[in-house]
């Protein structure tokens, strides 16, 4: 009858779990595509497929006082691929509507990032596009400090930031508004993974059923609208995605490569983008100079500091990265 955990900080898990809380558990799998079963969200819900009622934090003997403080952090990868189905941690099981988040939980979406931050300058690996370099570790540093303060009862953490159905920032994949780039990709026909068997519910709670694929909506550049947008995403020199199609060396080029995002740079000038048919404005069309670009980056960083999604001592790192990025893209 004592609380077991003070806090849980679950990063890039989506709605997946590891096999842990049962006798003879074997928590050795990465759970890629094999660990997403009902229930998906914390609060109790009725599953329309199996008719089971359950929730991740549903426990008849526990009260809110006994619950750990919880942060769920995800990137676009956990929404798009690998059957992690991250949207299901904050929607109904059929993906039809948003659900309330419990008082002891915060959900944060690191917009424009991939499962693990990629190299900078961006490099090619097994995907068709360069890897996504967005360094969301800066956000994680700030959130870790917030969790420490919250756990000791000093200050509540910053509000959840994640895509939602009710404001149009979370949509079914068929509704994604990604720009028509010269090297066109087909996103709208992608499907989610399938449920795996729940060992705790009758008949496995509709094991094998297709998971709904809800993804973060994007702006005219293809950058995600909701979540914590680091300055390199808020003041972009490229499009940053949570998906990357498999390259020729990997085969099956119409499928996503696991855990990879994409970096799709803007053209340097208007003439260059018109030559290729790129609908996104060029670097020169967006920013009058490096000085003006860096000023906008500074403003975006300062806003994140005020909102407590970035530490003040990390702003210099943000500015240096922005300066290096400008030199990479503007020439």
């Amino acid at each position: 009858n004592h609380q077991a955990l003070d806090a849980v900080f679950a990063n890039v898990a989506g709605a997946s779990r590891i096999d842990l809380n049962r006798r003879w558990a074997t928590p050795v799998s990465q759970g890629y595509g094999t660990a997403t079963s009902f229930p998906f969200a914390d609060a109790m819900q009725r599953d329309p497929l199996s008719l089971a009622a359950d929730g991740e934090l549903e426990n008849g003997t526990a009260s809110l006082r006994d619950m750990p403080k919880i942060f769920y952090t995800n990137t676009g990868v956990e929404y798009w691929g690998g059957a992690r189905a991250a949207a299901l941690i904050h929607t109904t099981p059929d993906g039809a509507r948003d659900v309330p988040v419990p008082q002891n939980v915060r959900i944060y979406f690191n917009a424009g990032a991939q499962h693990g931050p990629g190299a900078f300058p961006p490099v090619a690996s097994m995907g068709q596009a360069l890897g996504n370099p967005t360094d969301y570790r800066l956000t994680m540093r700030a959130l870790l400090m917030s969790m420490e303060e919250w756990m000791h009862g000093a200050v509540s953490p910053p509000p959840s930031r994640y895509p939602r159905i009710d404001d149009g920032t979370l949509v079914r994949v068929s509704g994604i508004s990604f720009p028509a780039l010269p090297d066109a990709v087909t996103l709208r026909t992608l499907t989610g993974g399938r449920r795996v068997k729940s060992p705790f519910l009758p008949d496995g709670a509709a094991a094998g059923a297709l998971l709904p694929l809800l993804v973060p909506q994007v702006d005219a550049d293809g950058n995600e609208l909701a979540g914590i947008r680091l300055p390199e995403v808020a003041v972009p020199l490229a499009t940053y995605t949570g998906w990357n199609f498999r390259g020729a060396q990997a085969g099956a080029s119409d499928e996503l490569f696991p855990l990879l995002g994409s970096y799709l740079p803007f053209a340097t000038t208007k003439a260059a983008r018109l030559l290729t048919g790129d609908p996104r404005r060029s670097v020169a069309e967006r920013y009058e100079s490096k000085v003006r670009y860096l000023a906008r980056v500074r403003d975006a960083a300062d806003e994140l500091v005020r909102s407590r999604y970035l530490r003040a001592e990390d702003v210099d790192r943000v500015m240096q990265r922005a300066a290096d990025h400008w030199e990479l893209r503007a020439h």
Side-chain angles (χ1 to χ4, degrees), residues 144-164:
L144 182 61
M145 297 301 294
S146 290
M147 175 61 87
E148 177 77 10
E149 294 172 340
W150 193 26
M151 191 172 64
H152 291 291
V155 182
S156 294
S160 296
R161 278 196 185 183
Y162 60 92
R164 297 179 55 90

Side-chain angles (χ1 to χ4, degrees), residues 206-292:
L210 193 65
L211 295 162
L213 184 55
L214 286 84
V215 296
Q217 185 59 286
V218 298
D219 61 19
D221 294 323
N223 285 317
E224 290 153 337
L225 292 166
I228 303 171
R229 288 163 49 110
L230 282 164
E232 63 188 296
V233 177
V235 189
L237 295 172
T239 298
Y240 308 86
T241 80
W243 49 262
N244 197 333
F245 283 86
R246 295 167 66 95
Q249 70 275 38
S253 60
D254 60 340
E255 297 180 7
L256 301 184
F257 194 88
L259 310 183
L260 284 185
S262 300
Y263 172 86
L264 306 167
F266 300 149
T268 305
T269 64
K270 181 178 181 179
R273 77 171 179 84
L274 292 177
L275 189 63
T276 63
D278 191 335
R280 302 168 300 166
R281 289 182 300 153
S282 66
V283 174
E285 290 175 281
R286 293 165 187 270
Y287 312 111
E288 296 177 5
S289 65
K290 180 179 180 179
V291 171
R292 295 296 296 273

Side-chain angles (χ1 to χ4, degrees), residues 128-185:
Q128 294 179 20
L130 297 174
N132 187 327
T134 303
D135 191 359
Y136 69 84
R137 291 174 297 182
L138 300 183
T139 299
M140 301 294 279
R141 279 166 48 84
L143 292 179
L144 182 61
M145 297 301 294
S146 290
M147 175 61 87
E148 177 77 10
E149 294 172 340
W150 193 26
M151 191 172 64
H152 291 291
V155 182
S156 294
S160 296
R161 278 196 185 183
Y162 60 92
R164 297 179 55 90
I165 294 171
D166 62 6
D167 64 8
T169 57
L170 182 71
V171 297
R172 292 191 179 269
V173 68
S174 58
I176 194 70
S177 299
F178 198 78
L181 301 185
D183 297 323
V185 294

Side-chain angles (χ1 to χ4, degrees), residues 3-330:
Q3 183 173 337
L5 298 171
D6 292 315
V8 174
F9 199 146
N11 186 41
V12 294
S16 292
R17 292 181 290 275
I18 59 173
D19 184 19
L20 182 68
N21 192 25
R22 68 184 182 94
R23 194 178 189 189
W24 313 122
T26 53
V28 296
S29 169
Q30 288 186 325
Y32 184 79
T34 62
T36 305
S37 61
F38 180 81
F40 312 111
D42 289 329
M44 177 181 282
Q45 298 187 72
R46 177 73 63 180
D47 178 21
L49 298 183
S50 67
L51 302 183
D54 204 353
E56 284 291 295
L57 298 183
E58 189 61 32
N59 185 327
T61 65
S63 66
L64 182 61
R65 181 193 61 197
D66 303 316
M67 294 289 182
K69 307 291 195 298
I70 301 176
F71 283 178
Y72 296 123
T73 52
N74 288 291
T75 73
V77 164
E78 291 74 54
Y79 283 81
W80 278 96
R84 293 174 188 259
L88 293 182
I89 69 173
H90 51 77
T91 69
T92 52
D94 56 2
R97 33 180 217 287
D98 304 303
V99 296
V101 177
Q103 296 178 38
N104 62 307
V105 173
R106 298 292 185 274
I107 300 174
Y108 301 111
F109 172 54
N110 285 307
Q114 68 177 23
H115 187 77
F120 181 83
V123 298
S125 58
M126 299 298 286
Q128 294 179 20
L130 297 174
N132 187 327
T134 303
D135 191 359
Y136 69 84
R137 291 174 297 182
L138 300 183
T139 299
M140 301 294 279
R141 279 166 48 84
L143 292 179
L144 182 61
M145 297 301 294
S146 290
M147 175 61 87
E148 177 77 10
E149 294 172 340
W150 193 26
M151 191 172 64
H152 291 291
V155 182
S156 294
S160 296
R161 278 196 185 183
Y162 60 92
R164 297 179 55 90
I165 294 171
D166 62 6
D167 64 8
T169 57
L170 182 71
V171 297
R172 292 191 179 269
V173 68
S174 58
I176 194 70
S177 299
F178 198 78
L181 301 185
D183 297 323
V185 294
T186 304
L187 295 170
R188 295 183 179 90
T189 58
L190 292 173
T191 58
R194 294 186 179 275
R195 294 189 188 193
V196 297
K197 181 179 180 179
S198 170
F200 305 109
L201 295 170
D203 301 320
L210 193 65
L211 295 162
L213 184 55
L214 286 84
V215 296
Q217 185 59 286
V218 298
D219 61 19
D221 294 323
N223 285 317
E224 290 153 337
L225 292 166
I228 303 171
R229 288 163 49 110
L230 282 164
E232 63 188 296
V233 177
V235 189
L237 295 172
T239 298
Y240 308 86
T241 80
W243 49 262
N244 197 333
F245 283 86
R246 295 167 66 95
Q249 70 275 38
S253 60
D254 60 340
E255 297 180 7
L256 301 184
F257 194 88
L259 310 183
L260 284 185
S262 300
Y263 172 86
L264 306 167
F266 300 149
T268 305
T269 64
K270 181 178 181 179
R273 77 171 179 84
L274 292 177
L275 189 63
T276 63
D278 191 335
R280 302 168 300 166
R281 289 182 300 153
S282 66
V283 174
E285 290 175 281
R286 293 165 187 270
Y287 312 111
E288 296 177 5
S289 65
K290 180 179 180 179
V291 171
R292 295 296 296 273
Y293 165 72
L294 291 178
R296 290 181 57 182
V297 170
R298 170 71 71 168
D299 288 343
D302 289 344
E303 189 281 325
L304 288 180
V305 171
R306 288 191 295 270
S307 302
R308 294 188 293 145
Y309 301 109
L310 183 69
R311 303 285 294 177
E313 58 263 35
D314 286 333
V315 171
D316 286 346
R317 292 175 61 183
V318 169
M319 298 308 299
Q320 184 59 59
R321 168 74 165 251
D324 293 343
H325 200 175
W326 177 270
E327 295 303 320
L328 178 70
R329 293 300 329 145

